[in-house]
């Protein structure tokens, strides 16, 4: 794999056939099978990254570039956005929500982490983004886990609660998976850029 810099400090990555083969699997396993690529990801942040390889589809190339952007975002984590919530929380997986390995697979597939550090807990929701967004207009209720104010769903929602059991950094994060069905508690915030209130995080699923 060759790395070439141009005068604008962009980066072009030449992907060999063996590396291309490894990319065909789950994006979350990339750093597990390519230690050299992990070293590249941890380099000093660059202005932007370009990946040139004739064998890569446009979709796969964009996925890889987005993955690198996640790691080089400013601040401890990326600012909350509508698209981030959709990507990291809303699930449409065919895997049963009761599967004991659900979180181990889905956390990697959806790239849920804090600058490569394992997220200590996370919730996935089986619902449309539009239904979750409507919750932001529900009245405030007393929350859990030390959070003062939350919005609660008016309907029963299914989801999965992931809790970290071992590991510090990806891809070595291991989670327990707990299927839950009940009232969902979320936090929301106003986004000036789009002029909307958006869901930010899922705090709990109160089982019925």
């Amino acid at each position: 794999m060759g790395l070439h810099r141009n005068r604008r400090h962009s980066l072009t990555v030449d992907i060999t056939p063996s590396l291309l083969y490894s990319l065909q699997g789950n994006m979350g396993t990339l750093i597990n099978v390519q230690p050299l690529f992990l070293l590249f990801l941890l380099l000093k942040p660059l202005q932007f990254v370009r990946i040139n390889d004739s064998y890569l589809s446009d979709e796969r190339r964009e996925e890889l570039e987005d993955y690198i952007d996640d790691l080089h975002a400013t601040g401890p984590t990326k600012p909350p956005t509508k698209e981030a919530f959709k990507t990291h929380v809303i699930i449409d997986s065919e895997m049963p929500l009761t599967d004991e390995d659900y979180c181990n697979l889905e956390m990697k597939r959806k790239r849920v982490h804090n600058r490569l550090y394992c997220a200590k807990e996370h919730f996935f929701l089986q619902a449309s983004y539009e239904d979750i967004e409507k919750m932001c207009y529900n009245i405030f209720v007393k929350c859990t886990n030390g959070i003062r104010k939350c919005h609660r769903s008016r309907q029963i929602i299914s989801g999965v609660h992931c809790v970290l059991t071992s590991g510090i950094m990806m891809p070595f994060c291991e989670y327990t998976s707990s299927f839950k069905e009940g009232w969902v508690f979320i936090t929301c915030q106003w986004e000036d850029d789009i002029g909307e209130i958006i869901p930010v995080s899922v705090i709990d699923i109160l089982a019925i």
Side-chain angles (χ1 to χ4, degrees):
M1 179 177 65
L3 306 181
H4 309 287
R5 295 177 184 274
N6 66 20
R7 292 182 181 178
R8 296 186 62 191
H9 304 291
S10 65
L11 185 68
T12 299
V13 181
D14 293 333
I15 301 181
T16 64
S18 62
L19 179 55
L20 174 64
Y21 177 79
S22 72
L23 289 173
Q24 302 308 310
N26 190 298
M27 184 66 69
T29 64
L30 173 63
I31 56 179
N32 190 28
V33 297
Q34 292 292 340
L36 182 58
F37 195 76
L38 173 59
L39 179 61
F40 153 65
L41 293 177
L42 297 177
L43 293 174
K44 184 177 180 180
L46 303 168
Q47 184 178 4
F48 58 90
V49 175
R50 293 183 309 175
I51 299 170
N52 293 332
D53 188 274
S54 58
Y55 293 98
L56 280 177
S57 66
D58 290 341
E59 182 179 359
R60 181 65 71 182
R61 184 181 294 107
E62 288 179 6
E63 284 184 12
L64 187 53
E65 290 175 353
D66 287 345
Y67 188 83
I68 296 170
D69 287 344
D70 281 347
L71 302 179
H72 295 306
T74 57
T77 57
K78 272 189 169 183
T81 66
K82 179 187 293 189
E83 292 306 315
F85 190 91
K86 288 180 180 179
T87 300
H88 296 149
V89 177
I90 304 300
I91 50 177
D92 56 4
S93 172
E94 296 181 358
M95 186 191 316
L97 302 187
T98 53
D99 193 306
E100 62 181 13
D101 282 328
Y102 192 95
C103 290
N104 287 328
L105 298 173
E106 200 72 357
M107 292 289 278
K108 291 182 176 69
R109 188 177 79 86
K110 287 185 170 289
R111 307 196 306 268
V112 180
H113 56 81
N114 298 319
R115 300 292 295 273
L116 276 182
Y117 286 94
C118 306
K120 292 184 178 180
E121 86 172 326
H122 188 75
F123 288 91
F124 293 112
L125 300 180
Q126 192 174 57
S128 70
Y129 175 81
E130 289 72 23
D131 284 344
I132 302 303
E133 185 180 37
K134 290 176 183 176
M135 291 169 51
C136 294
Y137 296 92
N138 295 348
I139 62 173
F140 283 117
V141 297
K142 185 177 179 181
C143 208
T144 59
N145 299 333
I147 306 298
R148 206 165 140 247
K149 291 181 177 180
C150 282
H151 301 275
R152 197 194 78 174
S153 64
R154 293 176 178 170
Q155 70 271 16
I156 302 303
I157 295 176
S158 298
V160 180
H161 184 205
C162 306
V163 177
L164 183 69
T165 58
S166 65
I168 297 175
M169 298 187 73
M170 288 185 68
F172 307 110
C173 313
E174 295 290 331
Y175 293 89
T176 58
S177 303
S178 302
F179 169 75
K180 287 195 172 186
E181 191 172 53
W183 310 111
V184 172
F185 292 80
I186 67 170
T187 60
C188 304
Q189 76 176 39
W190 178 262
E191 277 297 301
D192 287 331
D193 290 345
I194 59 175
E196 295 179 18
I197 187 170
I198 64 170
V200 173
S201 59
V202 181
I203 304 302
D204 200 3
I205 300 176
L206 184 60
I208 56 174

